[in-house]
Amino acid sequence: MKCAFLTFIALLTCSSAMASPPDGETLFQDNCMVCHGPRGTGGSAPKLAGDASEWKSKVFERAVLSGIDDHGKPLKAPMPHWANASFKSDNGVKPSKLEIDAIQKYLHQQK
Ligand code: HEC
């Protein structure tokens, strides 16, 4: 029984490792564009392209997940704390670093 369970875990791990990398453009359009504008050029919320897109990935991840900016200050509502939320396509699972990095990479390319 234990072996069957471990095989199941191994299969799960392999299939997710083989999945294609997250699409930063789609993730951005589905979850961020409504406030941060097309291609992250700004809207009701600040522009991200050419600004937060250039932050260290750890700083960008912290801003997205925990709402703390590059100066260590809390970001005001309505910026979501994504650690307590989920991207539209993720069905309740909180965003992964890979997904956040893919969004930042997409924004970096928009300058
Ligand atoms: C409901 C609107 C809304 C959504 C959706 C939203 N944000 Fe924000 N975001 C904001 C607001 C407003 C601010 C500015 C808060 C402040 O100045 O304190 C902000 C700030 C930020 C900052 C810091 C920018 C800076 O220069 O300080 C980052 C990074 C960020 N958002 C990334 C994202 C990402 C990535 C997504 C999508 C996964 C997203 N946001 C979705 C409203 C939103």
Side-chain angles (χ1 to χ4, degrees):
M1 206 46 210
K2 203 174 188 180
C3 279
F5 179 69
L6 288 176
T7 310
F8 176 61
I9 295 293
L11 277 175
L12 264 185
T13 313
C14 286
S15 55
S16 60
M18 275 157 45
S20 52
D23 177 359
E25 178 171 7
T26 305
L27 287 172
F28 178 82
Q29 286 170 350
D30 287 355
N31 302 286
C32 323
M33 192 170 77
V34 62
C35 299
H36 288 282
R39 302 185 323 284
T41 50
S44 61
K47 77 173 174 120
L48 300 175
D51 192 326
S53 63
E54 311 310 302
W55 294 355
K56 285 199 174 126
S57 59
K58 281 219 161 81
V59 176
F60 187 83
E61 286 159 11
R62 185 180 66 174
V64 175
L65 289 171
S66 316
I68 309 281
D69 76 5
D70 56 334
H71 300 294
K73 296 214 181 91
L75 290 165
K76 290 185 217 97
M79 173 61 192
H81 289 191
W82 289 98
N84 308 321
S86 178
F87 291 156
K88 274 187 189 150
S89 50
D90 282 353
N91 304 313
V93 180
K94 80 169 195 180
S96 70
K97 290 201 178 358
L98 270 181
E99 288 175 313
I100 299 171
D101 291 350
I103 293 176
Q104 190 182 21
K105 194 172 167 201
Y106 163 72
L107 291 168
H108 175 71
Q109 290 160 351
Q110 304 313 305
K111 285 198 297 168

